[in-house]
Amino acid sequence: MIKIDTLRCFSTVAQLGSLLEASARLGRTPSALSMSLKQLEGHLGARLFETERKNKLTPLGQEVFRLAQVQLRQFDDTVTSIENAANAPEGLIKIASIPSAAGLALPKAISTLMAQFPHLKVELRDMDSAMVAEALLHGEADIGIASGARSLNGVTCITLFEDAFGLLCGRDHPLAKSTSPPTLDDVFAYAFVSNTLCRQLNLSELNAASAGAQLTVHNTHSLIAMTRTNKWVTILPQSVARALPDELVFRAIDGIDQRRSVSLLVSQRARFPKILEVFSDLLVHSDWT
């Protein structure tokens, strides 16, 4: 059986490319690490490193390293959650949220909740909508905020607000200063950044522009950073622009009237349902505009 400690030893050696450096980080002797690696290779029946220097992985070693990193992150997160739950006399609430919501009413709602429950522990993680749903389904989050209405087993879905799609650009970009609403052709005349959210519109012109875009960015914070330079533009929901109102401009696009819904997802299997009920009520009645 492959133990988590064995995976940690292998991953650390693979990451650092040196038995000596890995032994210092893990507090183990180089000979103990070497023995652990030999046992792992013996169990798999194949080499994980190209040479004895441990500075180059075999193709199998690369795959094992990738999978081990996933398992180690999950294991460490689980341990942290267990420790937090043990040290939370009034409970623990785990929140997963899309980044744009975290910049709106969420901080105030969390502050109000913690004022009502002074010893409550709260974990907040930024995720995209698909990951929020996965976290709810796998018990890694008690409550989530995600784009769209989602039908999930054991999860209650409540619409929080609707959000218009439009142009996002820097305050000094030419499109920010034009007198009339830009068209899609106007937007695509500049350096356009494709992103996952804008593809939800499912417009043929936008799909073609996204497919031909030289730059695709998946992280909301990176999208904001790119558009703040006044060189790139993108299409996003309006709530994203509210995160930096002094540096970003949101403009309606002529011909686009689609909106996205943002939903509250509440687990029906949470450990602290009363606290979750109070928090859900706070979020539903918050000002998301």
Side-chain angles (χ1 to χ4, degrees):
M1 179 180 293
I2 300 176
K3 299 180 179 180
I4 195 74
D5 182 61
T6 302
L7 290 180
R8 195 178 300 280
C9 290
F10 164 70
S11 293
T12 305
V13 174
Q15 189 175 35
L16 298 176
S18 164
L19 272 175
L20 192 60
E21 291 185 39
S23 67
R25 175 174 292 187
L26 294 173
R28 306 271 299 271
T29 64
S31 59
L33 287 185
S34 180
M35 179 63 69
S36 180
L37 294 177
K38 287 180 180 178
Q39 290 174 345
L40 179 58
E41 289 180 328
H43 177 80
L44 297 175
R47 294 180 63 89
L48 298 172
F49 295 91
E50 294 282 5
T51 68
E52 292 300 320
R53 293 184 60 193
K54 313 300 183 189
N55 61 351
K56 186 176 181 181
L57 291 167
T58 63
L60 173 63
Q62 293 175 12
E63 182 66 5
V64 173
F65 178 66
R66 182 185 69 81
L67 294 171
Q69 291 292 94
V70 173
Q71 291 303 313
L72 287 169
R73 282 195 296 269
Q74 183 175 343
F75 178 80
D76 291 340
D77 287 345
T78 299
V79 170
T80 299
S81 293
I82 290 172
E83 292 173 344
N84 285 341
N87 296 319
E90 281 190 357
L92 169 67
I93 295 295
K94 295 175 288 185
I95 309 166
S97 173
I98 53 176
S100 57
L104 297 176
L106 188 56
K108 183 178 179 180
I110 292 175
S111 178
T112 303
L113 180 72
M114 296 181 78
Q116 293 185 39
F117 302 92
H119 301 292
L120 175 70
K121 285 188 175 291
V122 176
E123 292 181 6
L124 172 61
R125 291 178 180 158
D126 287 348
M127 303 177 177
D128 64 30
S129 294
M131 292 178 66
V132 170
E134 287 291 318
L136 266 293
L137 287 174
H138 294 154
E140 297 166 358
D142 303 307
I143 195 165
I145 301 176
S147 295
R150 295 174 179 266
S151 178
L152 304 172
N153 184 33
V155 177
T156 302
C157 180
I158 306 166
T159 299
L160 287 176
F161 65 95
E162 289 191 339
D163 211 5
F165 279 94
L167 167 72
L168 189 70
C169 62
R171 187 160 292 280
D172 294 327
H173 192 277
L175 288 178
K177 300 178 179 180
S178 63
T179 56
S180 57
T183 64
L184 280 176
D185 288 339
D186 294 331
V187 173
F188 300 147
Y190 292 90
F192 176 71
V193 183
S194 175
N195 67 80
T196 305
L197 280 175
C198 73
R199 293 174 190 164
Q200 293 181 6
L201 292 170
N202 199 26
L203 298 172
S204 58
E205 295 172 86
L206 182 53
N207 291 341
S210 295
Q214 288 185 288
L215 178 62
T216 298
V217 178
H218 299 284
N219 180 278
T220 302
H221 294 296
S222 296
L223 278 165
I224 289 174
M226 301 302 288
T227 54
R228 285 170 63 189
T229 65
N230 294 300
K231 178 178 180 180
W232 285 278
V233 300
T234 194
I235 295 175
L236 281 172
Q238 187 173 10
S239 60
V240 177
R242 298 189 188 117
L244 288 171
D246 295 332
E247 300 181 51
L248 297 175
V249 170
F250 177 87
R251 300 203 62 186
I253 297 176
D254 187 24
I256 293 183
D257 55 6
Q258 289 95 325
R259 302 172 69 86
R260 72 154 178 177
S261 63
V262 175
S263 299
L264 176 66
L265 306 176
V266 185
S267 173
Q268 299 169 4
R269 300 181 290 266
R271 291 179 57 226
F272 306 100
K274 180 59 180 177
I275 297 176
L276 209 57
E277 181 182 348
V278 173
F279 190 40
S280 299
D281 188 65
L282 282 171
L283 292 171
V284 169
H285 293 93
S286 293
D287 181 7
W288 292 96
T289 61

